[in-house]
Amino acid sequence: MAFTVIIPARYSSSRLPGKPLADIGGHPMIRHVWNRAAESDAERVVVATDSEEVLARCSDFGAEAVMTDANHASGTDRLEEVVRRLALNDDAIVVNVQGDEPLIPPTLINQVAAALEENPDAAIATLCERITSAEDLFNPNVVKVVMDEAGRALYFSRAPIPWARGVFDNDQARDELPDTTDYYRHIGIYAYRVSLLRQFVEWHPAPPEQTESLEQLRALWHGARIQVAVARDTPPAGVDTPEDLERVRKAVAGQ
């Protein structure tokens, strides 16, 4: 199985400025992410950044990195710029590993690439995991996904879907999950066919995408098929806040 990993690493972050270079166990965060990706079966791992400083640090530890436009409207636009600059073929598979996932298991990178390769009618593949608490189901920051019987995404939402009619109609009954339905949280790792990325940047944002603030809904709106696999390993949470960074530092230190 041949695929390339691209790691977007934007320097700016409203909650954690300079996040890719945040120190974790004596190394910048981007090195930890790159190490995890390098442990996967990827033929090539490329960091995509808008920062000369990040570019220089990647060079220090031997990572391939490219500068990208700082004004991309979305992460997918940034990926398309990279695959264009790398001159990848339309049928090539690219896995997008977020630059703030220093603990991501390499097995998940391999799994999402395999899910796309094994489903030639899909343009994108991604992962999910079971939701086990009503708190997560009703949390709008936990994105939910509903699939068909073949594992293809029907819809992604910040709302609790599918809605358990007769159970959730009563606010007081929303503290437990019904035992008649499985609920799934979307895990934000994607594998793309390069041809899809080239189409994606030509599409206008879709109404559901703008309403939910979920970019993957643009692909569904335009008829692209997204294959969803249940993750074989539980991914640790990424780094969005200073508190997240401290948690990861402790995990790396074995505390």
Side-chain angles (χ1 to χ4, degrees), residues 6-188:
I6 297 177
I7 306 172
R10 291 181 64 250
Y11 188 82
S12 299
S13 170
S14 58
R15 288 182 287 185
L16 199 59
K19 182 163 59 171
L21 300 181
D23 182 85
I24 300 175
H27 298 291
M29 184 188 306
I30 189 60
R31 179 166 186 172
H32 290 274
V33 182
W34 183 84
N35 285 345
R36 300 290 80 73
E39 291 169 8
S40 75
D41 295 334
E43 289 186 324
R44 189 176 187 181
V45 179
V46 182
V47 176
T49 184
D50 57 0
S51 162
E52 293 282 359
E53 189 175 357
V54 172
L55 191 74
R57 294 296 296 274
C58 288
S59 178
D60 289 344
F61 61 81
E64 181 180 3
V66 296
M67 284 290 293
T68 59
D69 191 326
N71 299 313
H72 282 305
S74 73
T76 311
D77 291 298
R78 190 176 308 279
L79 286 182
E80 192 277 334
E81 179 188 353
V82 175
V83 301
R84 185 164 20 95
R85 292 180 60 180
L86 298 180
L88 298 182
N89 295 328
D90 276 356
D91 58 355
I93 292 176
V94 169
V95 176
N96 177 20
V97 174
Q98 294 299 327
D100 56 6
E101 299 279 353
L103 302 179
I104 187 169
T107 52
L108 295 188
I109 300 173
N110 293 337
Q111 184 183 4
V112 75
L116 187 55
E117 184 180 58
E118 293 165 5
N119 291 276
D121 60 338
I124 303 173
T126 191
L127 302 179
C128 69
E129 65 178 351
R130 285 279 302 275
I131 291 175
T132 58
S133 73
E135 180 182 1
D136 283 346
L137 180 63
F138 286 93
N139 182 348
N141 295 316
V142 175
V143 177
K144 276 66 69 173
V145 59
V146 173
M147 298 89 75
D148 67 14
E149 64 178 356
R152 297 185 185 91
L154 295 173
Y155 193 68
F156 297 85
S157 182
R158 298 183 182 280
I161 54 172
W163 182 262
R165 186 179 180 186
V167 178
F168 294 154
D169 296 345
N170 181 350
D171 289 350
Q172 295 179 345
R174 298 182 190 179
D175 56 355
E176 292 185 8
L177 296 177
D179 57 11
T180 55
T181 304
D182 290 334
Y183 292 90
Y184 292 93
R185 177 181 81 88
H186 176 227
I187 298 171

